Each structure stands twice: as structure tokens, then as C-alpha cells.
Amino acid sequence: KEREIAQLRRRFRSGKTNIGHIYGCFVSSKGEILSEFNQGLGLMAEEDADMLLSLLKKTMSGSINRNLIEIEFSTKQVLESEEHRLLTELRTTELKEQDVVHKLFDKIIGSYVSEDNYVILVAHDRCDVFAKNSEGEDHEESSSSFPFIVCAVCPVKMGKSVMSYYMPGNCFRSICADTAVGAPEFGFTFPAFEDGGANIYKTLYYTHDLAHGRPELVTALFGAEEMPMPAAEQKQTFAGMLSETMAEDCSMKVV
């Protein structure tokens, strides 16, 4: 799994990705969409495009079962659920249907509470998959492709004032940077990339906060009634069980 995730992560650079546009919206802390955008990467400076791609890339960072959590869909969900149908439509339409993209925005905004303004970023990519030869090396031509969508939700905060030297006036003055986009709070990739292909029964969910996996978001986006226990809670639970078990005999031999 880690190797396949790393394979996708390497794509999020100019010249490596097939992402042509990044769609999104700027949302207030009250849940109001303030603006929407369709950012063409080909029209941006390479440095700016790489910074934007790096935000999406961060939703594939961390360790499995810690920051990265596999959410599984049942067969019934794949066949009938609204949540899986929306994810599939986003993937098959390559985000070109505005009403479908808006449904995703509405689901996120309706289940996410934030003290800060934030941006929702979503993109479609298509990864070439190369078959291996008998020596374990990739063939020169791809044998198939893996189309997928990736989404990131990032906080937006006002920049801090800094002191600047203003040459025309021959003086110092305070200037304030515009809004600054932070690293993603959460995001996801659909479908999961396994064994060189798509597993439509899974999605890879990312959370920055190890103590809180945002189950309300997981339910809204994926229809999951339960999700794996957050890593911080797992650690605390294990420590409590260990303490209770060894309370009477905490000798070095037992440890």
C-alpha cells in the first residue's frame, strides 16, 4: 500500500501530472461560499502550480491507520448508495459537470465546522500503469490507466503584517500579506489504488488531526456508520488497558 501511495505522490509536480485544472471554492467560517474557481495549471508559473499541487499531495502523507485511513464500501453501497454514486460521477465526468462538483461542495460544507475560512480543492488525474516484465522492470508502454479524484480542504488565515522598505518613498512601512492557505485538515482519494488498479470498494481518507477523525464528515462523504479509531485514541486506549493489566505485577520480567 505504501509503495502505491508513494507512486501517486510522485505525480504531484509540474511535468509529472495529468491534472489540467483544479476546481474549488472559498468558504467562510459560517459555511457560505464566497467565490469559486477553475484554476488551469497550464496558465500558472511552474512554482505556483507546484505549490498548489503540493496541497493535494499532502492528503497522501502520513502512515496507514494513522493519518491515512482506508474507508471500505459494502457491495450494497457500491450498487445503491448516494455517496458512492456521487464519487463515481465525479470520477467518470472528470469534474466537468458543475452540478456534480457542487454536490461534493455541499456535502463538505454541511458537515464541516471550522473557526477559519477554508478552501476546498478537487482535481482529476489519470495515472498510467505499467506492467512488469520477468525481471520486475516496467514495460516501456503502459498497459492500463488509473483515473482518480483527489480532494483537499485547507484552512485560510490572514497573513501577518511585516516591515518592508519602500524604495520610492525612501522609508520603511508596514504591509500585510493577503490570505494564506494552510496545509490540508482533511482530504481523500477515490478510488483506492491497489495492485496496479482501482479498488472501487475503498477510498483513502486523510486527516491531519490524529485525535479526531471527523466521523460526521466520513458519514456524509462515504456513508460509513463507523470508522477506525483515531490513532491518538488507539494509543490512549492501549495505554489504559496495559496499565490495568499490569497494575498488580509490573516487574521487569513481565515488561
Side-chain angles (χ1 to χ4, degrees), residues 117-128:
N117 296 340
Y118 59 94
V119 292
I120 302 173
L121 306 174
V122 60
H124 177 276
D125 195 4
R126 184 178 297 273
C127 174
D128 291 327

Side-chain angles (χ1 to χ4, degrees), residues 129-142:
V129 180
F130 296 88
K132 301 286 185 181
N133 59 25
S134 58
E135 298 178 354
E137 299 175 343
D138 290 338
H139 285 291
E140 292 184 3
E141 296 184 2
S142 62

Side-chain angles (χ1 to χ4, degrees), residues 70-121:
E70 289 185 325
I71 306 294
E72 295 193 24
F73 297 98
S74 66
T75 301
K76 183 176 181 180
Q77 283 181 299
V78 172
L79 294 175
E80 302 176 2
S81 74
E82 173 193 343
E83 293 81 14
H84 196 277
R85 188 180 304 113
L86 174 59
L87 295 173
T88 302
E89 286 181 332
L90 289 165
R91 180 190 182 213
T92 55
T93 62
E94 301 182 2
L95 306 177
K96 294 176 182 177
E97 298 292 337
Q98 192 173 16
D99 59 331
V100 179
V101 176
H102 264 270
K103 288 180 183 179
L104 175 65
F105 293 164
D106 291 342
K107 279 186 174 291
I108 293 174
I109 294 170
S111 55
Y112 178 50
V113 178
S114 174
E115 296 181 355
D116 300 311
N117 296 340
Y118 59 94
V119 292
I120 302 173
L121 306 174

Side-chain angles (χ1 to χ4, degrees), residues 6 57 204:
K57 178 181 178 180
L204 190 65

Side-chain angles (χ1 to χ4, degrees), residues 28-228:
S28 74
S29 58
K30 296 179 180 179
E32 303 166 329
I33 295 180
L34 303 177
S35 64
E36 298 182 37
F37 53 87
N38 175 358
Q39 184 72 59
L41 296 188
L43 301 176
M44 301 177 67
E46 183 174 319
E47 182 180 358
D48 293 337
D50 283 339
M51 291 180 68
L52 195 53
L53 288 169
S54 71
L55 294 174
L56 295 173
K57 178 181 178 180
K58 283 185 171 66
T59 62
M60 299 180 190
S61 61
S63 304
I64 295 288
N65 296 325
R66 287 178 61 80
N67 302 93
L68 296 173
I69 303 170
E70 289 185 325
I71 306 294
E72 295 193 24
F73 297 98
S74 66
T75 301
K76 183 176 181 180
Q77 283 181 299
V78 172
L79 294 175
E80 302 176 2
S81 74
E82 173 193 343
E83 293 81 14
H84 196 277
R85 188 180 304 113
L86 174 59
L87 295 173
T88 302
E89 286 181 332
L90 289 165
R91 180 190 182 213
T92 55
T93 62
E94 301 182 2
L95 306 177
K96 294 176 182 177
E97 298 292 337
Q98 192 173 16
D99 59 331
V100 179
V101 176
H102 264 270
K103 288 180 183 179
L104 175 65
F105 293 164
D106 291 342
K107 279 186 174 291
I108 293 174
I109 294 170
S111 55
Y112 178 50
V113 178
S114 174
E115 296 181 355
D116 300 311
N117 296 340
Y118 59 94
V119 292
I120 302 173
L121 306 174
V122 60
H124 177 276
D125 195 4
R126 184 178 297 273
C127 174
D128 291 327
V129 180
F130 296 88
K132 301 286 185 181
N133 59 25
S134 58
E135 298 178 354
E137 299 175 343
D138 290 338
H139 285 291
E140 292 184 3
E141 296 184 2
S142 62
S143 57
S144 61
S145 64
F146 169 64
F148 65 97
I149 57 169
V150 56
C151 177
V153 178
C154 310
V156 176
K157 298 184 179 182
M158 293 299 297
K160 296 180 180 180
S161 296
V162 295
M163 186 60 68
S164 173
Y165 180 70
Y166 183 58
M167 287 189 291
N170 194 29
C171 63
F172 289 95
R173 66 179 185 180
S174 175
I175 60 173
C176 182
D178 205 346
T179 52
V181 179
E185 289 292 327
F186 63 92
F188 68 89
T189 303
F190 175 83
F193 186 40
E194 289 188 355
D195 300 322
N199 184 346
I200 63 171
Y201 287 85
K202 289 183 181 179
T203 188
L204 190 65
Y205 175 70
Y206 167 83
T207 177
H208 174 73
D209 188 354
L210 297 180
H212 184 44
R214 299 184 178 85
E216 63 285 350
L217 266 167
V218 172
T219 299
L221 290 172
F222 315 120
E225 296 181 0
E226 295 182 1
M227 66 175 292

